Amino acid sequence: MKLTQETIEAWIASTTGEFNYLSVMDKDYDKKIIPYLRVMMQRCKEKGMIVPVGKRDGMWRKVDASAEELAWWDSKPLEEDNVILPLDINKYCLIPRPSMIIVAGKYNSGKSCFCINTVALNQVKWGGYLDYYVSEGADLIKPRFEHLGVQSPPTFRTYRRTENFADVIQKDNLSIIDYLRVDMEQPYAVSQRLFEIYNKVNQGTGIVVVAMQKPPGGRMLAFGGASTAFEPTLYIGMETTGTHTGWVGFEKVKVARGYGGYDMSKVKIDYRIEYGAKFVDVKERLDYD
């Protein structure tokens, strides 16, 4: 490609995402033209076509000038349960559409049980617009659904997937992700993955439930810390208290129902898990310690 201002601008108009300014050149380029290329990129910046990305030299992205007008005056009052959640969580909060829900917990705390119960509870309400993304195989999934009385074949779809969920989730569907893995060498980077997922459903009317691993200790937040709480409408943490027992608490409730007038951060819901699929002995308590 011959490097002129016009060809550079045409290339930028056709690209998506972030890019290095050297990407516009052929593989076997002459390094002597790099200063000229930088000048052209600055001209594109001055025209409002691109903006620099981060602190890395030479990284750019195309300006996104689109803006969706939100007709908020036509929206209906938020009264109904758009999604049915396990452990009587609906009595504490309302979930608007679109929304993201985070379920954080250590291993064996009940995250998968929460996800599979959410699927079972919403199979009638969401029907063919319900997608379940799981890393486990059919041999582990089938008996859990059988214990919950889910008929075969179900109305919803189950997919085996472990990464790049934003590429496949549907913007108007209820999507259950069990679970979102974290690169332990870069736990802070998970917030970008969450933003990509949220941004996908935010283009429509969907709801996404994301299960995440959290570190040992008393905190409710998943690996990635406070940055994982930016997008969710509801953020809950699950903690194990023994073999097949645990509790769930609230880290973030954007639209509280005001049940009982309680401080939501003090509400804990105890449970026991049977067959890896059923929540039993569910009891609310107030933890003021």
Side-chain angles (χ1 to χ4, degrees), residues 12-264:
I12 290 173
S14 64
T15 194
T16 58
E18 299 177 5
F19 63 91
N20 187 287
Y21 72 112
L22 297 178
S23 302
V24 305
M25 296 191 295
D26 296 329
K27 186 176 181 181
D28 299 322
Y29 60 86
D30 185 349
K31 292 184 178 180
K32 293 180 180 179
I33 66 174
I34 290 179
Y36 301 101
L37 176 58
R38 285 176 170 165
V39 170
M40 294 178 193
M41 299 299 288
Q42 286 298 322
R43 288 173 181 166
C44 291
K45 176 185 176 183
E46 292 167 3
K47 289 183 177 182
M49 296 181 64
I50 56 175
V51 291
V53 177
K55 297 180 179 179
R56 293 175 58 190
D57 181 42
M59 291 299 297
W60 300 85
R61 68 169 175 83
K62 185 169 66 173
V63 169
D64 181 5
S66 62
E68 177 188 1
E69 183 178 1
L70 188 63
W72 50 265
W73 54 88
D74 287 336
S75 64
K76 297 179 181 179
L78 183 56
E79 297 174 347
E80 66 173 307
D81 292 321
N82 288 314
V83 59
I84 304 171
L85 299 172
L87 300 169
D88 294 326
I89 286 178
N90 289 89
K91 74 180 182 181
Y92 302 100
C93 60
L94 288 163
I95 308 297
R97 297 177 66 170
S99 278
M100 171 183 280
I101 298 169
I102 298 292
V103 183
K106 293 187 293 187
Y107 53 86
N108 294 330
S109 61
K111 299 187 302 298
S112 291
C113 186
F114 189 97
C115 288
I116 207 165
N117 272 266
T118 303
V119 174
L121 289 169
N122 288 278
Q123 58 182 327
V124 174
K125 187 176 186 66
W126 285 80
Y129 296 92
L130 170 56
D131 300 318
Y132 181 37
Y133 298 95
V134 64
S135 60
E136 297 174 330
D139 290 347
L140 290 175
I141 298 300
K142 183 177 180 180
R144 293 177 182 174
F145 275 130
E146 289 178 341
H147 282 300
L148 294 175
V150 175
Q151 301 297 314
S152 300
T155 57
F156 59 87
R157 292 165 298 276
T158 302
Y159 299 102
R160 189 90 177 266
R161 197 167 182 95
T162 58
E163 59 183 353
N164 299 325
F165 295 102
D167 295 348
V168 295
I169 60 174
Q170 301 298 307
K171 63 184 178 66
D172 295 316
N173 288 13
L174 171 59
S175 303
I176 316 295
I177 298 174
D178 183 15
Y179 65 103
L180 180 64
R181 283 173 165 75
V182 177
D183 182 352
M184 297 309 298
E185 295 183 358
Q186 295 180 308
Y188 54 85
V190 73
S191 61
Q192 178 61 30
R193 304 286 83 76
L194 287 173
F195 177 73
E196 292 168 359
I197 293 169
Y198 172 76
N199 202 39
K200 186 66 173 289
V201 297
N202 200 41
Q203 295 171 16
T205 59
I207 294 175
V208 58
V209 179
V210 184
M212 298 183 67
Q213 200 84 357
K214 78 180 186 72
R219 85 177 199 187
M220 304 281 279
L221 295 168
F223 283 106
S227 65
T228 65
F230 293 158
E231 274 71 49
T233 296
L234 173 66
Y235 199 128
I236 62 174
M238 304 185 77
E239 188 71 36
T240 180
T241 57
T243 304
H244 309 305
T245 61
W247 56 264
V248 63
F250 297 89
E251 172 65 23
K252 177 182 179 181
V253 180
K254 200 165 188 177
V255 188
R257 252 193 170 120
Y259 175 77
Y262 302 144
D263 177 353
M264 294 299 298

Side-chain angles (χ1 to χ4, degrees), residues 3 11 18 66 143 155 253 266-267 269:
L3 289 179
W11 186 90
E18 299 177 5
S66 62
T155 57
V253 180
K266 306 300 182 183
V267 175
I269 303 171

